[in-house]
Amino acid sequence: MRANTWAGRNKVKVRDVPDPKILNDRDAIVRITSTAICGSDLHLLDGYVPTMQNGDVMGHEFMGEVVEVGRGVDPGRLRVGDRVVVPFPIACGACGACAAELYSCCENSNPNAGIAEKMFGHPVAGIFGYSHLTGGFAGGQAQYARVPFADVGPLKIESDLTDEQVLFLSDILPTGYMGAEMCDIQPTDVVAVWGAGPVGQFAMDSARVLGAAKVIAIDKEPYRLQMAERAGHTPVNFEEVDVRSRLLELTGGRGPDKCIDAVGMEATHGAAHLHAYDRVKQAVRSETERPHALRQAILSCRSGGIVSVIGVYGGFLDKFPAGAWMNRALTLRTGQCHVQRYMNPLLQRIERGEIDPTRVITHTLPLDQAERGFEIFKNKQDNCEKVVLKP
């Protein structure tokens, strides 16, 4: 089959790879009809997530048709012919973490748990196409994928909704929603979101759906800010204004009630010297993150507020403002998304027209053009917000 693979730092390559096979009784094979390039894929591309190997199949946002199931898969939950969206975290459904609906912390799905434990202190769940740190599972930027624990994760789509309407239930829509949900949004809240990429856009939409009085979008790309503004959010360009000062103006001097970091480890900063500090330290691997957005969110949030972190961080960062966090009674909440918890409720919101996931799609390409897709997405060419690939 054809698949998009990691070919070294800053390089991907579409090539022929072996077809996936059933390895365990609870596996399924899915013929992929739509997949996507995610912002967190860029952390792999840029070499900031360790343990990638040449030839690893990338991609963790995918959906398609079940073409084969293992004999241990409950036929009442999944059958050949079902149309499914596959969540990016692989969860067993039986461990303590899964019982608590903390699916991205599954205790049984990562065969390389020992590596993750050395990095993070405790193991994390397996993730499709996201390094050997999270299990070395082949990803979904391919024609077919093996799905472990197939009677736990995949969501059956039994309506006539298009792939484009439901594909992002695999990751970025639940991730954005969880980011807003962790904010405990009240009707009077002003919510500021760092990052107007796809996850940030969905965090903004989710904050609105959950009742926020105002949602502020922070980014530097005019087309992303325009997209947010068209959706009813207030844009702030961090290359044109001082973010903290502008947020104080917009909130009567208090700061946003809730702040969401939808950027993560490769953030940029409007001040060149501040950006250079972290960029150099990251380049020489003396820290793994550029935490501009996180620092700014903590320093901007009103005292007693909540900072929700859904941008991906992989290791260690410098100059974390612990004093501001502790002395101003801020609550910090974070996590890889527990996608399985949110898929069905969000499907219902899509069906009711409360959220339109298709609004972030700017490019649709065949799988064989994945290299081009990564190029335009990473470099923000042609006003690229989100790339969908068709195997």
Side-chain angles (χ1 to χ4, degrees):
M1 70 172 184
R2 300 288 283 169
N4 184 48
T5 63
W6 193 81
R9 190 176 178 192
N10 294 315
K11 186 177 181 181
V12 296
K13 184 177 181 180
V14 179
R15 46 188 154 185
D16 293 319
V17 302
D19 290 351
K21 300 181 184 299
I22 297 286
L23 299 180
N24 296 293
D25 285 349
R26 293 174 66 191
D27 287 351
I29 304 298
V30 173
R31 180 182 63 82
I32 297 168
T33 56
S34 295
T35 182
I37 300 173
C38 182
S40 53
D41 287 333
L42 299 182
H43 306 322
L44 305 176
L45 180 72
D46 295 343
Y48 294 123
V49 175
T51 71
M52 288 297 291
Q53 296 177 12
N54 185 28
D56 285 348
V57 179
M58 297 184 66
H60 56 269
E61 298 179 327
F62 61 97
M63 65 174 294
E65 179 187 352
V66 177
V67 294
E68 186 179 356
V69 295
R71 61 186 178 182
V73 174
D74 180 354
R77 297 182 64 90
L78 197 72
R79 294 175 179 267
V80 171
D82 284 344
R83 183 178 176 225
V84 295
V85 179
V86 180
F88 80 82
I90 301 169
C92 73
C95 67
C98 289
E101 296 191 306
L102 301 174
Y103 296 103
S104 70
C105 300
C106 176
E107 298 162 1
N108 292 326
S109 63
N110 185 352
N112 295 333
I115 301 175
E117 188 172 354
K118 289 178 181 178
M119 188 75 178
F120 302 131
H122 289 273
V124 294
I127 295 176
F128 290 103
Y130 212 76
S131 85
H132 293 263
L133 183 69
T134 57
F137 292 95
Q141 290 170 8
Q143 292 178 306
Y144 295 88
R146 179 178 75 94
V147 179
F149 301 110
D151 49 359
V152 174
L155 174 71
K156 286 195 287 188
I157 305 298
E158 299 177 292
S159 67
D160 59 357
L161 292 172
T162 66
D163 278 18
E164 286 72 15
Q165 288 176 290
V166 297
L167 171 61
F168 303 140
L169 289 168
S170 60
D171 176 3
I172 58 174
L173 178 53
T175 296
Y177 187 88
M178 189 174 101
E181 184 188 68
M182 288 191 295
C183 288
D184 294 340
I185 292 171
Q186 304 301 310
T188 58
D189 279 351
V190 176
V191 179
V193 179
W194 274 256
V199 171
Q201 299 282 348
F202 288 148
M204 297 171 212
D205 291 352
S206 299
R208 180 197 65 230
V209 164
L210 292 173
K214 177 185 285 189
V215 180
I216 300 169
I218 302 164
D219 206 289
K220 68 171 182 150
E221 301 297 334
Y223 73 91
R224 287 180 161 190
L225 292 170
Q226 291 163 10
M227 180 179 284
E229 190 170 22
R230 287 195 298 269
H233 313 307
T234 302
V236 172
N237 188 323
F238 67 75
E239 287 196 330
E240 297 177 354
V241 299
D242 177 75
V243 171
R244 183 175 175 277
S245 298
R246 180 63 178 141
L247 292 176
L248 291 175
E249 291 173 6
L250 291 170
T251 58
R254 296 174 70 238
D257 301 282
K258 312 291 166 59
C259 295
I260 300 174
D261 170 5
V263 182
M265 67 168 69
E266 293 188 74
T268 57
H269 195 287
H273 65 289
L274 291 176
H275 176 65
Y277 172 85
D278 280 302
R279 184 68 186 87
V280 170
K281 290 202 71 174
Q282 188 187 48
V284 300
R285 301 302 193 267
S286 60
E287 65 174 344
T288 56
E289 334 288 330
R290 300 198 300 264
H292 306 309
L294 178 58
R295 291 190 193 115
Q296 206 167 63
I298 290 171
L299 294 173
S300 300
C301 192
R302 72 157 170 84
S303 295
I306 295 174
V307 177
S308 171
V309 184
I310 50 175
V312 172
Y313 290 91
F316 304 94
L317 55 82
D318 194 11
K319 291 184 166 48
F320 178 82
W325 170 43
M326 183 268 168
N327 286 288
R328 295 198 296 107
L330 297 177
T331 297
L332 189 65
R333 292 177 176 166
T334 188
Q336 288 279 10
C337 185
H338 311 299
V339 174
Q340 290 88 335
R341 182 199 301 177
Y342 298 102
M343 294 179 85
N344 196 57
L346 284 172
L347 175 61
Q348 295 174 30
R349 288 189 183 273
I350 294 169
E351 292 172 337
R352 293 195 298 264
E354 296 174 11
I355 295 177
D356 175 19
T358 66
R359 78 175 187 85
V360 303
I361 300 172
T362 53
H363 294 73
T364 301
L365 299 171
L367 177 65
D368 277 337
Q369 292 185 26
E371 295 172 51
R372 171 64 178 155
F374 268 83
E375 179 184 356
I376 61 176
F377 183 55
K378 176 181 177 177
N379 297 311
K380 301 178 179 65
Q381 299 171 359
D382 194 30
N383 289 351
C384 181
E385 179 78 357
K386 186 68 175 180
V387 178
V388 173
L389 300 173
K390 297 288 186 176

